[in-house]
Amino acid sequence: VKASIAKKEILAENIAYIRLHVISQGLGDLLREEIESLKIEKGARGLVLDLRYAYGSDYNEVLKLAGIFLDEAKELLNWGAGNQKAIIESPTIKLPLVVLINESTKGAAEALVGAFDLTEIGAIIGRPTAGVAVMREHLPLSSGHLLTIATQKVKLADGTDLAVSGVTPDILVDVTPAAQAAHFDDPYGKLSSTQKTNSTERLNEAALMRRQNDANGDVEIDINVPPSNETESNEKPTTIMDPILARGVDLLKGWTIFNKSGK
């Protein structure tokens, strides 16, 4: 799967928002470039990294992604060959960080969250991750299909078994999967109720397809396509209705105000 950024924008108080979808080779370099660009061109002073509905199986790329925010090559993950260290490339990103997660944060995405948690990088907000971080092997069948089997659990360097426990957020947000789906691509509540219904159905279908893909190998699914009748507006709404995103933005706003005060 070609590395890509699913969504990026600047929110209130110069807070950068970046959404990842599939953890794949090359994503670390791409994410660093996007963050640096938002810092230089938009003056970003904080970062929301959205890993809700993100997945993947490239655990080596997790070492590079986490390394963006670390000063030293700390041990992060073990997928059967001993503890693997973060891959460090200068300069280190120093922006205050909030990471958003939910029940559909899976595989390499939840391993990345676990690495953030282990090294105490940023605040993790949302719902506990899926707990399905495993190495997989794809075996070709005579029919031409592939049989995918789990071969090794993925653990954090401290022994935490991500394939069992997943990752629990620092700040738990009480919100149902349906409410999350309704606001995921409509964080400001701009769509009509009919459009929201269609958007929710599309997202739920994507989630079902993703679960199927988890059993048959990773295939990127575009969950960010807006409704065909949605039009652009010059007026940017300011009230975030997405409860998990709103909590993350509020936290970074508070940090910004606290930092300005010099306390």
Side-chain angles (χ1 to χ4, degrees):
V1 178
K2 183 179 179 180
S4 63
I5 301 296
K7 186 177 181 180
K8 62 177 181 177
E9 64 177 305
I10 291 290
L11 305 174
E13 304 293 335
N14 285 357
I15 296 170
Y17 171 88
I18 294 179
R19 178 189 296 173
L20 302 183
H21 185 197
V22 184
I23 307 301
S24 58
Q25 186 176 5
L27 186 59
D29 291 335
L30 184 57
L31 179 60
R32 177 186 289 277
E33 291 173 5
E34 294 292 354
I35 296 173
E36 292 289 2
S37 175
L38 290 171
K39 284 177 64 179
I40 295 171
E41 298 178 12
K42 304 293 185 179
R45 295 189 294 178
L47 172 63
V48 175
L49 186 63
D50 196 344
L51 295 176
R52 292 174 295 173
Y53 305 100
Y55 67 108
S57 58
D58 195 330
Y59 293 96
N60 192 69
E61 194 67 19
V62 170
L63 305 177
K64 197 165 189 176
L65 287 161
I68 294 174
F69 304 92
L70 290 171
D71 291 316
E72 58 182 286
K74 297 181 178 179
E75 293 184 342
L76 299 179
L77 301 177
N78 183 349
W79 55 79
N83 287 344
Q84 303 297 307
K85 294 182 178 181
I87 300 172
I88 307 297
E89 294 181 8
S90 298
T92 301
I93 298 295
K94 293 295 186 181
L95 286 177
L97 174 68
V98 162
V99 182
L100 309 184
I101 62 174
N102 68 0
E103 299 90 339
S104 292
T105 303
K106 299 178 180 180
E110 59 185 318
L112 178 57
V113 180
F116 286 145
D117 190 36
L118 181 67
T119 53
E120 299 182 341
I121 302 174
I124 302 170
I125 298 177
R127 306 291 302 169
T129 64
V132 291
V134 296
M135 295 293 291
R136 292 188 173 93
E137 183 177 353
H138 305 297
L139 303 176
L141 301 177
S142 58
S143 63
H145 295 84
L146 287 177
L147 173 64
T148 302
I149 60 173
T151 58
Q152 180 69 46
K153 293 181 178 180
V154 177
K155 299 181 180 181
L156 296 180
D158 66 357
T160 300
D161 191 341
L162 293 174
V164 174
S165 62
V167 181
T168 301
D170 299 313
I171 301 175
L172 185 67
V173 181
D174 187 13
V175 56
T176 66
Q180 293 181 64
H183 289 294
F184 186 61
D185 276 325
D186 183 26
Y188 296 102
K190 294 186 295 182
L191 305 182
S192 68
S193 58
T194 301
Q195 288 173 309
K196 283 184 179 181
T197 299
N198 292 337
S199 178
T200 302
E201 289 173 353
R202 223 179 22 257
L203 180 60
N204 286 341
E205 181 181 2
L208 289 171
M209 290 174 67
R210 186 176 301 109
R211 280 195 287 270
Q212 181 65 28
N213 287 331
D214 282 342
N216 295 283
D218 292 331
V219 177
E220 185 171 2
I221 302 169
D222 188 355
I223 57 174
N224 303 295
V225 179
S228 58
N229 56 345
E230 182 180 356
T231 58
E232 293 289 335
S233 172
N234 292 328
E235 295 184 6
K236 185 175 181 178
T238 58
T239 302
I240 296 175
M241 306 302 292
D242 179 336
I244 294 178
L245 176 57
R247 187 68 63 87
V249 170
D250 285 345
L251 185 63
L252 285 177
K253 281 183 179 180
W255 181 93
T256 301
I257 294 171
F258 187 81
N259 191 55
K260 282 181 180 179
S261 70
K263 296 180 180 178

